[in-house]
Amino acid sequence: MSSSSSSTTHFLALATTYVVVLLLLHVPDYNAQLNSTFYSTTCPNVTSIVRSAVQQALQSDSRIGASLIRLHFHDCFVNGCDASILLDKNGTIQQSEKDAAPNTNSTRGFDVVDNIKTALENSCPGVVSCADLLALAAEASVSLSGGPSWNVLLGRRDSLTANQAGANTSIPSPLESLANITSKFSAVGLNTNDLVALSGAHTFGRAQCRTFNNRLYNFNSTGNPDPTLNSSYLTTLQQTCPQNGSATALANLDLSTPDAFDNNYFTNLQNNQGLLQSDQELFSTAGAATVSIVNSFSSNQSAFFESFARSMINMGNISPLVGTSGEIRLDCKNVNGG
């Protein structure tokens, strides 16, 4: 082989290697890009700042922990965990996710988010994203309520846009079938174990009558209540939510320990005392893969806690903006300069 052909072959090999490396660099590996020490030098007290603000909020509002974790959940299911749910309608944002059907007159805690952001800006101006704030607030809400702790992966950036249409179609509904909800989880890379574990967040918080009164009087146009609803629990719920009563009256998602993060939610399902249709279907859908997971979590709180923490990390990894994508919002309600 001549020296010229040898050098050409060598060049082609190098060029091919270079292209392969470039391709590998463009494979999104969010686990590698997010890490628990992202702010270790730029805002070392970020976790304690968020935790302190959540703890203060819990003192005056026992619901706020559940409300904050729900914001993270509803954020991640729409365009990934990018804090798009926090953007108000104004300026460049023509349609806010806050006004989507799953969120309007339902999601809450935005004032607490603003308080946390103010505390972070006072300590570390322009450093911590609103998307990471939501992930940290969710962990603090769970651990402060008796649930597990985990190392929150950080490094997300904030979106420049909102997606109201996506919020209307992508967020699971309490009135949906298990099959539909499973497919919505699958669409964002979450499996059946994630679905059951994350549903366990309904171990605390409240729900409005409009999210479950379909089960109380005329389930699926049968003229009768949902047959999977415990009869004495049904009577209690009918008192809370009378026919033609207030659609926004509240019931505890977990009738036994409404403000504690524990595994009683799963025991409630075994007793036909799940509040939402989407809760009870995890246990009452014959032959579903979810049933054995419910039984496992009901009998072993440690197994639930471990799975829940792992699934929260999985959910937090949904399509984050990293690197130079998006921005670090100075005000979580508005894009910078908007």
Side-chain angles (χ1 to χ4, degrees):
M1 183 183 290
S2 69
S3 61
S4 63
S5 63
S6 173
S7 59
T8 301
T9 303
H10 180 65
F11 172 77
L12 287 173
L14 283 176
T16 302
T17 303
Y18 179 67
V19 169
V20 169
V21 169
L22 277 182
L23 287 171
L24 288 173
L25 287 173
H26 283 85
V27 174
D29 181 0
Y30 304 123
N31 285 305
Q33 292 169 325
L34 301 182
N35 63 79
S36 60
T37 58
F38 188 81
Y39 298 110
S40 60
T41 57
T42 54
C43 195
N45 297 323
V46 59
T47 302
S48 58
I49 292 169
V50 173
R51 186 180 180 88
S52 175
V54 172
Q55 193 162 25
Q56 186 175 359
L58 279 166
Q59 290 172 359
S60 57
D61 180 3
S62 60
R63 296 173 61 195
I64 197 63
S67 299
L68 290 170
I69 197 172
R70 188 161 179 252
L71 284 179
H72 183 43
F73 168 45
H74 282 210
D75 178 38
C76 290
F77 267 67
V78 183
N79 289 15
C81 310
D82 62 357
S84 56
I85 193 173
L86 303 178
L87 290 170
D88 283 345
K89 177 183 176 181
N90 59 28
T92 59
I93 305 301
Q94 300 297 312
Q95 291 186 310
S96 171
E97 291 176 26
K98 294 179 182 180
D99 298 324
N103 296 328
T104 187
N105 300 316
S106 176
T107 46
R108 59 193 298 275
F110 298 107
D111 53 337
V112 175
V113 170
D114 288 340
N115 291 343
I116 298 171
K117 182 60 171 172
T118 297
L120 289 170
E121 288 300 307
N122 287 341
S123 183
C124 321
V127 170
V128 181
S129 69
C130 300
D132 279 345
L133 182 164
L134 289 178
L136 287 162
E139 191 279 337
S141 296
V142 171
S143 60
L144 287 168
S145 301
S149 297
W150 61 94
N151 288 325
V152 179
L153 302 185
L154 302 166
R156 302 167 193 81
R157 289 167 65 84
D158 299 324
S159 72
L160 304 173
T161 59
N163 184 0
Q164 186 183 108
N168 279 321
T169 57
S170 300
I171 296 172
S173 159
L175 309 178
E176 281 187 290
S177 68
L178 177 58
N180 282 3
I181 292 173
T182 300
S183 69
K184 287 186 174 182
F185 271 73
S186 180
V188 292
L190 299 176
N191 64 25
T192 302
N193 199 80
D194 295 318
L195 164 58
V196 179
L198 293 172
S199 295
H202 288 172
T203 180
F204 63 174
R206 316 284 180 266
Q208 298 178 20
C209 289
R210 65 190 174 105
T211 62
F212 60 87
N213 59 12
N214 67 307
R215 306 182 69 203
L216 306 185
Y217 302 101
N218 185 22
F219 184 63
N220 288 347
S221 303
T222 59
N224 296 304
D226 184 341
T228 64
L229 199 48
N230 176 288
S231 57
S232 60
Y233 187 41
L234 169 64
T235 302
T236 300
L237 294 176
Q238 287 175 332
Q239 291 168 350
T240 303
C241 306
Q243 277 186 296
N244 305 315
S246 169
T248 57
L250 298 171
N252 295 322
L253 281 161
D254 177 350
L255 77 165
S256 55
T257 50
D259 296 324
F261 199 99
D262 53 32
N263 68 331
N264 286 356
Y265 165 85
F266 298 102
T267 306
N268 296 340
L269 300 187
Q270 292 174 322
N271 295 329
N272 288 337
Q273 293 176 324
L275 182 63
L276 306 177
Q277 176 183 334
S278 56
D279 291 326
Q280 192 58 50
E281 284 186 350
L282 297 175
F283 182 74
S284 297
T285 303
T290 54
V291 177
S292 62
I293 306 173
V294 170
N295 291 335
S296 169
F297 291 164
S298 173
S299 64
N300 187 339
Q301 181 167 276
S302 295
F304 165 49
F305 279 10
E306 287 173 22
S307 283
F308 185 82
R310 191 162 53 247
S311 293
M312 284 295 292
I313 292 169
N314 293 341
M315 186 178 78
N317 283 335
I318 300 173
S319 304
L321 297 171
V322 293
T324 56
S325 300
E327 66 180 12
I328 305 298
R329 269 182 235 148
L330 303 179
D331 173 3
C332 292
K333 299 184 299 297
N334 300 295
V335 296
N336 294 341

